Amino acid sequence: MKQQNYDLIVVGTGFASTFFLKKYLSKASKSAKILVLERGHLFPHAERLKEKRRESTPFAKLNDHSHNTFINNNPEKIWEFQAGFGGSSNCWFGCTPRFMPSDFKMKSLYGVANDWPVQYDELDSYYDQVEEAMSISGPEETPYPRSKPYPQPAHAFNTVDVLLKKKYGNLYINQPTARAKVPVNGRGSCCVSAECSVCPVNAKFTIENSNLGVYEDPRIELVYGSQVFGLELEQNMVRKVNYIKDGKEHHASAEVFALGANAIFNAHILLNSGDTSRLTGKGLGEQYGLQALVYLDNLANFGGGTWVSGNGYMLYDGNHRKDYAACLMESNNAPFLRLEKGKWRDIASFRMIFEDLPSEQNYVAPTADLMKPEVNFKGPSAYTLKAVEQMKQKLPEVLACLPIEKIEFQKPFASEAHIMGTTRMSESPEEGVVDKHLIHHKYRNLFVLGSSTFTTFTPANPTLTLSALSLYAADKSF
Amino acid sequence: MLRRKFLKLSGLGALVVAAPTAGFASISLKDATVGSIINEFDYLQLDKKGVEQFVDDFLAYNFWNGSFKHTLVMRAIYTTKTKSDRSVSLFKTNMLKTLADTYLLSTDFFSNNMDENKPLKYMGLYSPHLKPCANPFSFIHYPAVVS
């Protein structure tokens, strides 16, 4: 640590922290002093590829495996993330649909959960900025409003996508994605390897390949191997951050702090610090998903331009959300073979992804080990489970334009690899933890970033929105 | 060449026939895996060396080798002649499906336009991290055209 006192201290180097810093740096003075504390280390993409090829790499054991960083009291439920520089940008799959405007108004439109204090229109220009920074590939028309075209053209549809597009218009679109269509900034072009966690051709946007210039900025001091476990709170302000590095406890002070860990650890740091907000740590959740295999009668399905080539909104929005959850469809091009003579590719595979609502029975709590939270999860809501049953009834009708032999539904996934909701955003302190600018309702020099602040859990993937929220929060606050 | 004659010539037929009579515990993971592929694709023309080489590569690359559970299940799949579409066990189905998919993707089957009458040739283990851009469903190999 080079300084005793900083203008800003940021915890974590994932999407939320990085986009917050990007905007902050554009507004801060040339002499600003910023400390970034990262619990893990850089594990470069080239070394990750070696690990995938079963070659040895000294980087492989630098970072904790996510499953060892917390106590999971429900082993049937998995919480996927990566510790280390760039956080889960190193393992995400790059799906970047925007939220729908209605997603921000669940209470006023459908009488469910709560409205977000920030609305779609306020985020629109920040969505544009993130899409530009990530060089998102996307279609010309979308079910949500846009003021600009996507930076890159859309990836190709597969055979089934083409038929569904013809039937449903802008309710069926090429998936907007951070898997590049056109090589950009040293990234390759997606070639449908369908192994996106570590992209074989580095087509996917990550913090490491982002070219955002954030961590190269001389105003930033980035310290690896520093796990923050608490904050010193005094008179409703944060004075210091406490962390462990090389087995020793350290402290650093600043004018402003920003927590950009994930929804488990943002909450854990606050709880360790004595945050008494009623909802801190509560409402942990994510989407719920399962695979639908559609066996086709004499129709070969192929030609998709990326891992997920289509997003279907036919079961997403509408008055049904008063009773049951929205569902987003993903059309998948992983090489799932139909092992029947003459029918090798007569199959389509859709991931059906359902929204969920925060529940206080799902929560993060501190333990006797200051560095390790426990995670308690009872299960998805009845609102979500009802939507699964409705989907199973309606899908044959939705897909009636396809020559269907049969549809098989697989067991729900143990994870959608999104972790949300433990420091939710709200208008008032009684209903949440942070305000619309992601500032803690009680500690007014503390930002809490990322999907821990989500008020509800829309079926759309969270990364684009949490990144836009970081830009918005920094832009409105500095 | 007739399939039965081809199998006989390549020595695979003996392996398939002998399996049920051999002691369950004495069947190696490799033999069970090779036999299961042959059983799954009994309507395709496979070659012994290619299947064996694939199984060597496959087991060296994934975590099945050394896994008691996987060895046991693969022996069961082999001795009961289970097929990927005819199992009541989801684990068995998934295991066999993974194996069968990977084998087929590792051959020249798709580059030969899925010609079921042509002998399959092993081309090297299918793994996007070893050989990217080889997904036979992708736009690179077959553009999607629907009238």
Side-chain angles (χ1 to χ4, degrees), chain A residues 49 52-55 155-160 162-163 166 181 189-195 197-201 299 301-306 333-345 347 410-411, chain B residues 40-41 43-44 60-63 84-85 90 94 96-98 100-105 109-110 113-117 126-147:
Chain A
L49 279 179
K52 287 287 182 184
R53 293 193 295 254
R54 308 294 190 264
E55 297 167 16
H155 285 284
F157 275 144
N158 64 32
T159 320
V160 159
V162 172
L163 293 169
K166 196 180 281 185
K181 164 80 172 170
S189 168
C190 176
C191 62
V192 209
S193 295
E195 285 282 348
S197 61
V198 179
C199 176
V201 296
L299 177 68
N301 183 32
F302 51 78
T306 186
N333 294 294
F336 192 94
L337 311 181
R338 182 169 172 181
L339 298 178
E340 292 174 60
K341 200 172 182 339
K343 298 180 176 182
W344 304 98
R345 295 185 303 185
I347 192 165
Q410 298 195 324
K411 194 179 154 190
Chain B
E40 175 70 30
F41 294 121
Y43 50 91
L44 295 177
Y61 194 72
N62 72 24
F63 60 89
S84 60
D85 61 342
L90 188 63
N94 287 343
L96 188 51
K97 181 85 172 67
T98 300
D101 281 0
T102 311
Y103 171 68
L104 221 49
L105 290 164
F109 183 65
F110 290 98
N113 208 20
M114 296 160 288
D115 184 344
E116 293 155 7
N117 297 313
Y126 179 84
S127 161
H129 291 105
L130 296 171
K131 193 169 62 175
C133 312
N135 179 348
F137 282 21
S138 82
F139 72 107
I140 295 169
H141 304 281
Y142 298 95
V145 180
V146 177
S147 56

Side-chain angles (χ1 to χ4, degrees), chain A residues 161-330:
Chain A
D161 293 330
V162 172
L163 293 169
L164 290 169
K165 176 69 180 173
K166 196 180 281 185
K167 168 84 175 168
Y168 290 107
N170 81 344
L171 287 181
Y172 198 90
I173 63 171
N174 315 73
Q175 182 180 68
T177 173
R179 302 180 296 272
K181 164 80 172 170
V182 180
V184 61
N185 291 338
R187 289 158 56 194
S189 168
C190 176
C191 62
V192 209
S193 295
E195 285 282 348
C196 308
S197 61
V198 179
C199 176
V201 296
N202 202 14
K204 175 188 75 171
F205 175 91
T206 66
I207 298 303
E208 184 192 350
N209 71 18
S210 68
N211 252 15
L212 294 177
V214 167
Y215 299 103
E216 295 79 12
D217 190 296
R219 291 170 290 180
I220 285 190
E221 181 185 344
L222 170 58
V223 183
Y224 290 116
S226 305
Q227 186 182 352
V228 173
F229 62 88
L231 306 167
E232 284 186 29
L233 308 175
E234 188 184 309
Q235 294 180 330
N236 292 338
M237 297 284 276
V238 179
R239 298 298 181 193
K240 287 182 180 172
V241 61
N242 304 325
Y243 63 100
I244 300 284
K245 177 172 168 53
D246 300 327
K248 290 182 185 167
E249 188 170 330
H250 298 263
H251 313 274
S253 57
E255 298 299 314
V256 178
F257 297 81
L259 297 181
N262 68 22
I264 294 173
F265 285 93
N266 274 353
H268 186 231
I269 292 167
L270 287 169
L271 292 166
N272 274 349
S273 311
D275 178 10
T276 53
S277 306
R278 190 181 68 80
L279 291 171
T280 298
K282 292 181 179 152
L284 174 72
E286 65 161 342
Q287 300 95 339
Y288 191 65
L290 59 86
Q291 208 73 16
L293 299 178
V294 180
Y295 292 74
L296 301 165
D297 183 10
N298 201 27
L299 177 68
N301 183 32
F302 51 78
T306 186
W307 171 60
V308 169
S309 51
N311 269 151
Y313 286 79
M314 295 83 88
L315 298 169
Y316 194 123
D317 215 3
N319 274 334
H320 70 266
R321 288 173 93 179
K322 291 176 180 172
D323 297 322
Y324 57 88
C327 172
L328 178 64
M329 297 171 64
E330 284 185 344

